[in-house]
Amino acid sequence: AEIARYGGAIVKTMGDAVMASFSTLDEAARAGLAMIRAHDAKYRAMGLGVKIGIHAGPSLMVRANERLDYFGTTVNVTARLQAQAAASEVVMTEANARSALLRPVLAGLPERVFEASLKGIKETQRLVGFEAIDAAERSGVTHVEQDARARAGT
């Protein structure tokens, strides 16, 4: 529902993963944050989490078996970004995260800046993870902090 609400289209599902396309980076970020918030409201207490990777760039669109599919480095980087995300987090490259288009979308969200090697990409990438908390949660301990404490046993 959130993908369509923000102007996106589901390209395909792969197990419990979904690939969607959007016309703009801010639509993708708004949808990703909304998906996490909707999911967490229902399922976070059960220990289930959503991890989202967002990237922008060119890709090859192919029609196969009456369905559109996307291929290329942009798609591969997006999948690698998703793998870097913690539960309740949207991860993107620092270049995308700092774009003027995303400033109003990401303003005030807790962020985690880090470097990671992404499979198939030569250079180490600077990434930013944004926790999808709502305004009421901003004064407390974030989900990422809670998860890190739980893993550490504190």
Side-chain angles (χ1 to χ4, degrees):
E2 303 301 340
I3 291 170
R5 179 176 297 145
Y6 290 96
I10 294 175
V11 175
K12 65 181 171 183
T13 60
M14 303 145 291
D16 62 357
V18 175
M19 183 168 78
S21 65
F22 293 86
S23 296
T24 64
L25 197 54
D26 65 319
E27 290 171 346
R30 289 177 197 281
L33 294 168
M35 283 187 285
I36 291 171
R37 290 174 182 141
H39 174 274
D40 283 359
K42 292 182 181 179
Y43 304 110
R44 180 122 188 113
M46 290 187 234
L48 301 173
V50 173
K51 301 175 179 186
I52 295 180
I54 296 175
H55 195 54
S59 60
L60 178 63
M61 185 172 58
V62 175
R63 181 177 296 278
N65 299 323
E66 301 304 316
R67 292 182 44 188
L68 291 177
D69 202 351
Y70 292 82
F71 298 92
T73 302
T74 299
V75 174
N76 294 333
V77 168
T78 305
R80 307 300 188 262
L81 294 172
Q82 183 272 334
Q84 294 292 322
S88 303
E89 189 177 50
V90 173
V91 171
M92 59 190 76
T93 62
E94 187 173 50
N96 282 331
R98 303 301 182 220
S99 75
L101 191 61
L102 288 183
R103 279 192 200 117
V105 178
L106 303 173
L109 293 178
E111 65 178 61
R112 173 175 69 104
V113 179
F114 61 104
E115 290 187 349
S117 295
L118 304 179
K119 181 180 173 185
I121 307 298
K122 284 184 190 178
E123 301 86 22
T124 298
Q125 300 293 303
R126 284 191 52 84
L127 308 177
V128 185
F130 293 92
E131 189 169 0
I133 64 171
D134 60 30
E137 293 178 293
R138 289 188 184 169
S139 61
V141 177
T142 69
H143 292 318
V144 172
E145 290 169 332
Q146 290 170 355
D147 291 345
R149 289 178 184 174
R151 283 192 300 274
T154 60

